Amino acid sequence: MASNRSLVLVVDDTALFRELETLCIRPLADVITASHAAEALEMVRTHEPDLVVLDLSLPDLDGALVCREITGAERSARIPVIAIGSGSSRDHARAIEAGAADVLAKPLSRDVLVRSVRRFTASSTPLGLPRVGLETPVRIAGAGQSRLALARNVSRGGIFVESSWEPPDADLHLSF
């Protein structure tokens, strides 16, 4: 008999993290796992999961490239990807640009992971993080420096600011 539960693919090269994520997700959905990018892409093709939870730090291929491959392919474009990164603004931007539906930071909180997975498995229509397109100048300031940039879109998950400036690793202030 076929299961009515969602199928989630968990991709992480660290066995302990794969197991912990699986333990958190299993009450919500059926789970399959992959330990590297090539295996993950094959599983997406063969199993067509309803959701992919993807570590951005994979040894064989950058996780953002894996995300882009999943979300950019006609057959798998409907599959939401939850990217798990370092929590840096760079990881967040890379994941969003690659098409991730959500981005979570390490160390991963069980509650945050469960909430995110629920958003994508609770109904047949993924909720995601709706974005509002905009294009407005913004000043980024931090560590005694500031630059002008362009805010491109905003969602509940944050704001995407386009800039060629590499901001300091400090608290940043945005002025619109």
Side-chain angles (χ1 to χ4, degrees):
M1 184 171 176
S3 172
N4 289 335
R5 289 168 42 103
S6 297
L7 179 63
V8 177
L9 170 60
V10 172
V11 184
D12 199 305
D13 61 308
T14 305
L16 175 64
F17 294 145
R18 273 194 319 273
E19 184 61 28
L20 290 173
E21 291 166 21
T22 298
L23 288 172
C24 293
I25 296 169
R26 191 164 280 138
L28 307 170
D30 293 329
V31 180
I32 55 177
T33 64
S35 61
H36 57 277
E39 181 183 19
L41 293 171
E42 179 60 27
M43 292 184 93
V44 166
R45 283 189 287 277
T46 58
H47 295 282
E48 297 184 17
D50 300 298
L51 174 66
V52 175
V53 177
L54 173 68
D55 183 13
L56 289 177
S57 299
L58 296 174
D60 57 332
L61 187 62
D62 178 65
L65 294 175
V66 175
C67 181
R68 187 177 312 279
E69 179 127 353
I70 293 168
T71 60
E74 185 177 332
R75 188 170 179 193
S76 58
R78 64 155 186 82
I79 301 172
V81 175
I82 299 172
I84 300 173
S86 67
S88 71
S89 58
R90 175 178 290 234
D91 267 4
H92 191 275
R94 285 181 336 114
I96 294 298
E97 288 170 1
D102 199 358
V103 184
L104 307 180
K106 292 179 183 176
L108 194 56
S109 157
R110 178 196 170 281
D111 293 337
V112 170
L113 175 61
V114 166
R115 258 193 315 270
S116 185
V117 169
R118 273 192 182 134
R119 276 202 345 263
F120 297 104
T121 60
S123 70
S124 59
T125 305
L127 301 176
L129 295 175
R131 299 188 198 302
V132 175
L134 68 107
E135 193 166 307
T136 188
V138 61
R139 179 167 293 282
I140 306 171
Q145 302 175 40
S146 74
R147 299 288 192 284
L148 283 176
L150 194 61
R152 289 282 187 191
N153 68 47
V154 66
S155 73
R156 290 180 315 193
I159 185 168
F160 180 77
V161 177
E162 183 179 295
S163 173
S164 60
W165 179 51
E166 194 67 38
D169 195 19
D171 287 341
L172 298 176
H173 303 277
L174 303 178
S175 304
F176 296 88

